[in-house]
Amino acid sequence: MMAAESQNWVLMVTAQTPTNIAVIKYWGKRDETLILPVNDSISVTLDPTHLCTTTTVAVSPRFHQDRMWLNGKEISLSGGRFQNCLREIRARACDVEDTKKGIKIAKEDWGKLHVHIASFNNFPTAAGLASSAAGFACLAYALGKLMNVKEDESQLSAIARQGSGSACRSLFGGFVKWIMGKEDNGSDSLAVQLADEKHWDDLVIIIAVVSSRQKETSSTSGMRESVETSLLLQHRAKEIVPKRILKMEEAIRNRDFASFSQLTCADSNQFHAVCLDTSPPIFYMNDTSHRIISITEKWNRSEEAPQVAYTFDAGPNAVLIARNRKAATLLIQRLLYYFPPSSDDLDSYIIGDKSIAKDAGINGVLDVEALPPPPEIKDNIPSQKYKGDVSYFICTRPGRGPVLLSDSSQALLNEENGLPK
Amino acid sequence: MMAAESQNWVLMVTAQTPTNIAVIKYWGKRDETLILPVNDSISVTLDPTHLCTTTTVAVSPRFHQDRMWLNGKEISLSGGRFQNCLREIRARACDVEDTKKGIKIAKEDWGKLHVHIASFNNFPTAAGLASSAAGFACLAYALGKLMNVKEDESQLSAIARQGSGSACRSLFGGFVKWIMGKEDNGSDSLAVQLADEKHWDDLVIIIAVVSSRQKETSSTSGMRESVETSLLLQHRAKEIVPKRILKMEEAIRNRDFASFSQLTCADSNQFHAVCLDTSPPIFYMNDTSHRIISITEKWNRSEEAPQVAYTFDAGPNAVLIARNRKAATLLIQRLLYYFPPSSDDLDSYIIGDKSIAKDAGINGVLDVEALPPPPEIKDNIPSQKYKGDVSYFICTRPGRGPVLLSDSSQALLNEENGLPK
């Protein structure tokens, strides 16, 4: 039983978890409830400084029900995905003692206690930047810490997976593989770290958040429709991806950017090909996405070796991975040349690590206007510009995995009442 | 030897050949020179009244070299594709006698005589409407007639094929299958008619010629790159298309529009999926193409049975096949609702069979402006319009195969000197 001076205590934990971008894509479940994929996938974890979810989980005998707030707004926890995560973590809860506060929670008490959860993304949820991946990873990680769960990150990843498949890859920094597993119960479908973020710290990532008028198919229903109707999906999952996974692991191990780039681009395109082969077809990329691909392909082909890889998730945003800082400055120049800001406010047009643009000599809109056409486009072709087609750019890099935030000022819930601050 | 009163005679033949649109797509060659495909394909021949090539071929002892004019402009015949067609037809030439003109050409003389060729498309060449298919079919057909070639249309199709693969399907009206064949020399890679144009004369075809700022990859280089780099192409060609061909033949035989529509749309999408799986990826469809697909998919799903099929070739233009005239009037209303003309000139915005628009109650731009939103879109979603995104619509239907034009006023070359009129 709970041993505490009063029933007024609130115990809480705050964690921060990164988002991730797949370079070998996850598309298609073999089990919809447990979220078991039809193939392995590999991702790069993005620096949480620029893109992350912060989650505070609190427990108190005063709470009458499980509640959750996302970006300050209460949302329902009744969905199966939340319930699965909560149930799995509770089942692994252990004794917790906070001597300072005089709180003692026995393993068996967790089933009777309710939790409050507050989650916040440091980037727009609607931007299509895998907010649910970071969100469920953070939920599983924070609840695991709160409930003194002894399982390691890989085992926690199998729980986060049941919230959102790609969430399992956000339990680690650097380069991460989600092993599809073989078991029907999903126990071996989990993430492992291939290399940490220091292994290949040359890489620079620029995300183009693309303006879109189209409402996109959710990835959940999209991948269900692909599994049901695409005649190419199973061939991809069984024959193509297994070989690509081995090649990608080798490319990452050897920091072989040429292979990494070739595999990343080809796999992104193949994932979108499967979407197009779905009935009715799913279009996530739009004309702006296509243009960004053409610009990077043309540049790569004009150089001796690829300078940048591109990958697109279930939306039109481009995630561009430059081989190093020099390539990133050349990339941002090209991007700004074709997609100049539609207002004078460059500061809100290039967010994240602003030093890349500074290194590229871009300090204001006049610098953007002065950019010459990239040398790879022939002089006789007047190159079009596409002002307004990109909402903004985020400059970032590969980053670390989840961390606990011990500074209570960073908690999203009030220490006294467990409600959002 | 040639027996003629003088060396001043000119003998000529004029033919008209339709274009065609594949409903099971040809994409990928197993032999680049002979133009042998990696899979069978099936097409619908389009009514030559609205889309066709007219070609006049002439022979005269006065001609010093083979020459050709396309749409009034002289073009080079030095390309391998023209040379292959000319050589193959000449090899099959027979004795020709024109008693009226007093001309006698012996079989063996054809090798020494030069030809003049004039070809004209009754639609814009640049519109991406398979002008080379109609062109090479017309060349093979007209030369075959001029040189008294005894081979039937299927055998002529194998010659037209060496000019442009899809040209072989333009040797017949109605529904046509290009059998890929097995022989290394290509002798069994030819077209056969599945059913003539009267077999299923309910169908109405509306082509949306889509405005595009992008220069497209030629289908020749595009399919070469797909064969070399797409990991999905061989699976499609070997495992998927053979089954689809059988189903499509059955659908055409039974005039089963539901199956025809499902197969046509799925195969168009899969062809574009393979293009996207190519490295670098090939994008033929643009946002407007995607929108047209969404509009037709949404409408089809709101009805008990599909009303329209869509298919896209190597460009952004949509070819829409409506199940009957009633469906076609409902389709043109939807298309005009979303894509109103950007000028008041409706007459040049809807070309071809203008009676479809009339039946739909569209007699002018005011009728277009008065169109209500289609019932399948929910009232609460304000539907966007895309003025200017479609250049024009062509209303047509399945049509007949090649014909000779005996009226000399329709010849494109002057009877006296064999030069363009």
Side-chain angles (χ1 to χ4, degrees):
Chain A
M1 271 307 291
M2 283 157 274
E5 300 302 302
S6 79
Q7 296 293 296
N8 265 333
W9 56 265
V10 176
L11 189 67
M12 60 171 72
V13 156
T14 299
Q16 187 193 63
T17 304
T19 185
N20 71 78
I21 177 77
V23 289
I24 300 292
K25 300 294 189 190
Y26 153 53
W27 194 251
K29 301 182 181 79
R30 62 181 203 274
D31 184 310
E32 287 262 345
T33 313
L34 291 171
I35 310 192
L36 302 178
V38 294
N39 56 251
D40 292 352
S41 54
I42 291 179
S43 61
V44 179
T45 299
L46 303 184
D47 188 344
T49 316
H50 309 124
L51 293 164
C52 73
T53 294
T54 302
T55 299
T56 299
V57 290
V59 65
S60 167
R62 291 162 48 180
F63 298 167
H64 299 301
Q65 55 177 17
D66 295 336
R67 294 177 72 182
M68 176 161 180
W69 295 264
L70 175 62
N71 295 327
K73 226 180 112 179
E74 184 157 12
I75 61 165
S76 166
L77 273 174
S78 65
R81 292 169 163 226
F82 283 112
Q83 290 303 316
N84 288 348
C85 285
L86 282 167
R87 188 193 61 244
E88 294 294 318
I89 296 280
R90 275 194 175 107
R92 288 163 179 81
C94 294
D95 294 350
V96 168
E97 189 167 1
D98 184 319
T99 47
K100 216 169 64 190
K101 289 191 177 172
I103 303 168
K104 212 168 176 177
I105 308 172
K107 193 177 159 75
E108 57 274 15
D109 293 334
W110 283 108
K112 294 165 224 148
L113 287 165
H114 291 290
V115 292
H116 280 186
I117 304 161
S119 207
F120 177 79
N121 299 321
N122 70 348
F123 58 94
T125 311
L129 294 166
S131 53
S132 70
F136 276 104
C138 209
L139 180 68
Y141 186 82
L143 282 174
K145 293 295 172 191
L146 178 73
M147 299 187 183
N148 194 21
V149 165
K150 299 287 197 282
E151 272 75 3
D152 65 14
E153 272 78 0
S154 274
Q155 290 162 311
L156 281 178
S157 81
I159 297 172
R161 188 203 74 225
Q162 297 176 57
S164 168
S166 54
C168 73
R169 295 187 311 239
S170 272
L171 267 300
F172 295 97
F175 299 83
V176 184
K177 174 160 83 157
W178 175 8
I179 300 167
M180 64 180 287
K182 289 174 184 163
E183 300 296 335
D184 284 344
N185 68 7
S187 59
D188 59 349
S189 185
L190 42 76
V192 295
Q193 189 178 53
L194 296 176
D196 70 19
E197 61 276 21
K198 289 178 220 89
H199 167 71
W200 198 354
D201 62 0
D202 284 351
L203 302 180
V204 176
I205 297 172
I206 300 178
I207 302 170
V209 178
V210 168
S211 319
S212 171
R213 298 191 288 184
Q214 218 77 10
K215 165 123 183 59
E216 281 129 30
T217 311
S218 82
S219 60
T220 300
S221 63
M223 68 176 83
R224 186 187 307 123
E225 287 161 22
S226 286
V227 169
E228 286 169 3
T229 65
S230 168
L231 298 176
L232 300 176
L233 181 137
Q234 294 298 339
H235 180 73
R236 160 177 164 72
K238 294 205 175 87
E239 306 296 329
I240 299 173
V241 175
K243 291 174 195 134
R244 273 194 185 155
I245 288 279
L246 295 175
K247 287 185 188 163
M248 182 59 93
E249 289 189 64
E250 198 188 340
I252 291 170
R253 201 161 43 235
N254 301 331
R255 299 182 201 90
D256 172 356
F257 190 79
S259 298
F260 176 83
S261 168
Q262 190 272 322
L263 292 163
T264 297
C265 300
D267 204 68
S268 172
N269 291 330
Q270 189 170 80
F271 147 53
H272 291 280
V274 168
C275 291
L276 188 42
D277 187 52
T278 300
S279 177
I282 303 165
F283 311 108
Y284 286 126
M285 295 199 288
N286 63 19
D287 285 351
T288 307
S289 315
H290 293 175
R291 249 167 232 133
I292 294 172
I293 290 181
S294 300
I295 291 163
T296 56
E297 288 277 2
K298 192 173 278 177
W299 180 33
N300 277 344
R301 261 145 233 273
S302 77
E303 300 278 348
E304 271 177 44
Q307 300 300 302
V308 59
Y310 56 81
T311 187
F312 295 73
D313 269 354
N317 300 335
V319 177
L320 301 160
I321 309 177
R323 65 183 308 142
N324 53 34
R325 210 176 157 83
K326 175 68 187 159
T329 60
L330 295 170
L331 173 61
I332 195 83
Q333 287 172 344
R334 283 167 171 79
L335 292 170
L336 290 169
Y337 174 80
Y338 288 106
F339 305 101
S342 45
S343 85
D344 279 355
D345 185 9
L346 195 66
D347 203 52
S348 64
Y349 193 61
I350 309 173
I351 64 174
D353 176 2
K354 291 174 192 281
S355 71
I356 304 284
K358 299 253 178 303
D359 279 11
I362 310 286
N363 293 296
V365 284
L366 291 177
D367 297 324
V368 174
E369 283 161 21
L371 282 169
E376 63 270 18
I377 58 171
K378 286 170 206 124
D379 304 303
N380 51 345
I381 300 165
S383 58
Q384 268 190 292
K385 300 201 174 198
Y386 303 94
K387 192 177 273 195
D389 287 358
V390 167
S391 301
Y392 55 94
F393 294 103
I394 306 170
C395 296
T396 185
R397 68 180 80 83
R400 70 176 182 205
V403 289
L404 278 182
L405 301 180
S406 49
D407 180 354
S408 66
S409 72
Q410 292 177 283
L412 302 173
L413 295 171
N414 193 303
E415 265 192 299
E416 268 78 60
N417 59 15
L419 290 170
K421 278 182 178 174
Chain B
M1 270 309 290
M2 284 158 273
E5 301 303 303
S6 81
Q7 297 293 297
N8 265 333
W9 55 266
V10 176
L11 189 67
M12 59 171 73
V13 156
T14 300
Q16 186 193 64
T17 305
T19 184
N20 72 78
I21 177 77
V23 290
I24 300 292
K25 299 292 188 192
Y26 152 53
W27 195 251
K29 300 183 181 78
R30 62 180 202 277
D31 185 311
E32 288 263 344
T33 312
L34 291 171
I35 311 192
L36 302 178
V38 294
N39 56 252
D40 292 352
S41 54
I42 292 179
S43 61
V44 179
T45 299
L46 303 184
D47 188 343
T49 316
H50 309 124
L51 293 165
C52 73
T53 294
T54 302
T55 299
T56 298
V57 290
V59 65
S60 168
R62 292 163 48 180
F63 299 168
H64 298 301
Q65 54 178 15
D66 295 336
R67 294 177 72 182
M68 175 161 181
W69 294 263
L70 176 61
N71 295 327
K73 226 181 111 179
E74 184 157 12
I75 61 166
S76 165
L77 273 173
S78 65
R81 291 167 166 228
F82 283 111
Q83 290 303 317
N84 289 348
C85 285
L86 282 167
R87 187 193 61 243
E88 294 294 318
I89 295 280
R90 276 196 173 108
R92 289 165 180 79
C94 295
D95 294 349
V96 168
E97 188 168 3
D98 186 320
T99 46
K100 216 168 64 190
K101 290 193 177 172
I103 304 167
K104 213 169 178 177
I105 307 171
K107 195 179 159 71
E108 57 274 15
D109 293 334
W110 284 107
K112 294 166 225 147
L113 288 164
H114 292 289
V115 292
H116 281 187
I117 304 161
S119 207
F120 176 78
N121 299 320
N122 70 347
F123 58 94
T125 311
L129 295 166
S131 54
S132 70
F136 277 104
C138 210
L139 180 68
Y141 186 80
L143 282 174
K145 293 293 172 194
L146 178 72
M147 300 187 184
N148 194 20
V149 165
K150 301 285 196 284
E151 272 75 3
D152 66 14
E153 272 79 358
S154 274
Q155 289 162 313
L156 281 179
S157 81
I159 297 173
R161 188 204 75 224
Q162 296 174 57
S164 167
S166 54
C168 72
R169 295 186 312 240
S170 273
L171 267 299
F172 296 98
F175 299 84
V176 184
K177 175 160 82 156
W178 176 8
I179 300 167
M180 64 180 285
K182 288 174 185 163
E183 301 297 334
D184 283 345
N185 67 7
S187 58
D188 59 349
S189 187
L190 42 75
V192 295
Q193 188 177 52
L194 296 176
D196 69 18
E197 61 276 18
K198 289 178 218 89
H199 167 71
W200 197 354
D201 62 359
D202 286 351
L203 302 181
V204 176
I205 297 172
I206 299 178
I207 301 169
V209 178
V210 168
S211 319
S212 172
R213 298 191 288 182
Q214 218 77 13
K215 163 125 186 59
E216 282 130 29
T217 311
S218 82
S219 60
T220 301
S221 63
M223 67 176 84
R224 186 186 309 124
E225 287 161 22
S226 286
V227 168
E228 285 170 3
T229 65
S230 169
L231 298 176
L232 300 176
L233 180 137
Q234 294 298 340
H235 180 73
R236 160 176 164 73
K238 294 206 174 88
E239 306 296 330
I240 298 173
V241 174
K243 293 174 193 131
R244 273 194 185 154
I245 288 279
L246 295 175
K247 286 184 189 164
M248 182 58 93
E249 290 190 63
E250 197 188 341
I252 290 169
R253 200 160 43 236
N254 302 330
R255 299 182 202 88
D256 172 357
F257 190 79
S259 297
F260 176 83
S261 167
Q262 189 271 322
L263 291 163
T264 297
C265 300
D267 204 68
S268 173
N269 291 329
Q270 189 170 81
F271 148 51
H272 292 279
V274 167
C275 291
L276 188 41
D277 187 52
T278 300
S279 176
I282 303 165
F283 311 108
Y284 286 126
M285 296 199 288
N286 64 18
D287 285 350
T288 306
S289 315
H290 293 174
R291 249 167 231 131
I292 294 172
I293 290 181
S294 299
I295 291 162
T296 56
E297 288 277 1
K298 192 174 279 177
W299 180 33
N300 277 344
R301 262 144 233 274
S302 76
E303 301 278 347
E304 271 177 45
Q307 300 300 304
V308 59
Y310 56 81
T311 188
F312 295 74
D313 270 355
N317 300 335
V319 177
L320 301 160
I321 308 176
R323 66 183 307 144
N324 54 35
R325 208 173 159 83
K326 174 70 188 159
T329 61
L330 296 169
L331 173 61
I332 195 82
Q333 286 172 344
R334 281 165 173 80
L335 292 170
L336 291 169
Y337 173 79
Y338 287 106
F339 304 102
S342 45
S343 85
D344 279 356
D345 185 10
L346 195 65
D347 202 51
S348 64
Y349 193 61
I350 308 174
I351 65 173
D353 176 3
K354 291 174 191 281
S355 73
I356 304 284
K358 299 252 177 303
D359 279 11
I362 311 285
N363 293 296
V365 283
L366 291 176
D367 297 323
V368 174
E369 282 162 21
L371 283 168
E376 64 269 18
I377 59 170
K378 285 171 207 122
D379 306 303
N380 51 346
I381 300 167
S383 59
Q384 269 190 289
K385 300 198 174 201
Y386 303 93
K387 193 177 273 196
D389 287 359
V390 168
S391 300
Y392 55 94
F393 294 103
I394 306 170
C395 296
T396 185
R397 68 180 81 82
R400 68 174 184 206
V403 289
L404 278 182
L405 301 181
S406 49
D407 180 354
S408 66
S409 72
Q410 291 177 283
L412 303 174
L413 295 171
N414 193 303
E415 267 191 298
E416 268 76 63
N417 59 14
L419 290 170
K421 281 183 179 172

